[in-house]
């Protein structure tokens, strides 16, 4: 309970600017949780679809692989769908790879959605903290004229200590939010790396499969 009272006292002594910083913290936490869940689910679904498609393509069941990706709504299945659809018409390996890479770029905004807000919120929280401190110091100096000369040093030190709470709270919000932003960017990169890996490997597997079909027809 003592720690809770200390936190509440710290928050209340910071002034009005503590409330918008707390609101930014709540928004940042909500976005971080939503993005973490979305990217984690997307990564797991992509891995699952890829593990299901690879054996089908290697065994020559391209049509079954096509039906599989049509029945899934993951990012990987839709990118694979671009490649498998392109492979059904007379196409080169490079054409299939380009179709998949273009499909991956189409989903990039969806993967990065709202992630950039975390960095923006971190900067705003820092600036609000500094602004709150400046406003607190301005108010502190303006009240010195009403205080006796013997008490001015004590009043000024107390006012500065309270005003600095806003900057401290702003930094306490901004630093973790920047770290979370970097982590989310890493997860986005991991999902994109998986899509890029698929756009390289699937055309090679399809090219081998088509070549084997040509050989069997020639014989």
């Amino acid at each position: 309970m003592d720690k809770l009272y200390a936190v509440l006292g710290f928050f209340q002594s910071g002034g009005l600017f503590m409330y918008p910083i707390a609101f930014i913290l709540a928004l940042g936490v909500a976005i971080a949780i939503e993005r973490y869940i979305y990217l984690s689910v997307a990564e797991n679904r992509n891995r699952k679809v890829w593990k299901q498609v690879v054996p089908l393509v290697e065994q020559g069941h391209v049509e079954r692989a096509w039906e599989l990706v049509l029945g899934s709504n993951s990012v990987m299945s839709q990118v694979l769908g671009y490649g498998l659809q392109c492979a059904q018409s007379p196409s080169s390996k490079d054409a299939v790879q380009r179709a998949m890479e273009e499909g991956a770029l189409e989903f990039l905004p969806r993967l990065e959605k709202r992630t950039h807000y975390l960095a923006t919120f971190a900067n705003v929280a820092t600036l609000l903290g500094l602004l709150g401190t400046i406003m607190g110091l301005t108010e502190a100096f303006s009240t010195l004229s009403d205080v006796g000369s013997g008490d001015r040093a004590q009043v000024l030190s107390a006012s500065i200590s309270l005003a600095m709470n806003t900057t401290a709270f702003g930094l306490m919000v901004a630093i973790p939010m920047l770290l979370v932003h970097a982590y989310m960017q890493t997860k986005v990169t991991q999902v994109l790396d998986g899509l890029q890996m698929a756009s390289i490997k699937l055309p090679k597997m399809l090219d081998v499969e088509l070549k084997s079909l040509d050989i069997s027809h020639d014989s």
Side-chain angles (χ1 to χ4, degrees):
M1 290 296 293
D2 292 338
K3 292 183 178 180
L4 178 61
Y5 287 133
V7 172
L8 291 176
F10 171 81
F11 186 85
Q12 292 176 351
S13 63
L16 293 177
F17 283 90
M18 301 288 274
Y19 293 95
I21 297 175
F23 179 70
I24 288 176
L25 173 61
L27 286 179
V29 169
I31 291 176
I33 293 174
E34 185 271 334
R35 286 289 87 191
Y36 176 80
I37 294 175
Y38 176 83
L39 293 173
S40 298
V41 170
E43 190 174 6
N44 291 333
R45 287 180 177 176
N46 290 350
R47 191 180 299 111
K48 181 179 178 181
V49 170
W50 176 249
K51 289 182 179 179
Q52 292 174 337
V53 168
V54 169
L56 293 176
V57 175
E58 290 178 343
Q59 295 169 11
H61 304 306
V62 179
E63 293 184 359
R64 289 178 59 186
W66 168 250
E67 294 174 356
L68 175 65
V69 298
L70 286 180
S72 174
N73 61 352
S74 67
V75 177
M76 176 67 76
S77 64
Q78 297 182 56
V79 172
L80 292 174
Y82 284 109
L84 293 172
Q85 184 179 16
C86 183
Q88 291 181 3
S89 59
S91 304
S92 64
K93 180 178 69 175
D94 293 336
V96 174
Q97 183 173 347
R98 281 196 303 270
M100 295 182 65
E101 290 176 348
E102 292 173 0
L105 290 176
E106 180 181 339
F107 292 100
L108 179 59
R110 186 186 304 179
L111 296 174
E112 294 182 335
K113 189 177 182 180
R114 287 187 291 273
T115 303
H116 63 281
Y117 287 142
L118 296 174
T120 302
F121 288 164
N123 292 328
V124 173
T126 303
L127 294 176
L128 284 175
L130 292 174
L131 181 59
T133 296
I134 292 173
M135 297 295 292
L137 292 175
T138 302
E139 183 178 355
F141 281 110
S142 65
T143 58
L144 287 181
S145 58
D146 300 329
V147 180
S149 58
D151 297 330
R152 287 184 178 180
Q154 183 178 357
V155 172
L156 183 61
S157 61
S159 299
I160 292 176
S161 176
L162 294 178
M164 294 299 290
N165 287 353
T166 314
T167 296
F169 186 49
L171 293 175
M172 289 165 62
V173 171
I175 294 173
M177 205 167 292
L178 286 175
L179 295 175
V180 172
H181 175 261
Y183 176 72
M184 293 302 167
Q185 288 292 97
T186 301
K187 288 192 72 67
V188 171
T189 302
Q190 289 175 350
V191 176
L192 290 177
D193 288 343
L195 297 178
Q196 185 178 9
M197 175 272 297
S199 67
I200 295 174
K201 289 188 175 181
L202 182 66
K204 291 181 179 179
M205 290 188 293
L206 290 172
D207 188 48
V208 172
E209 174 62 26
L210 293 176
K211 287 181 179 180
S212 64
L213 289 176
D214 292 339
I215 293 173
S216 62
H217 287 318
D218 294 338
S219 60

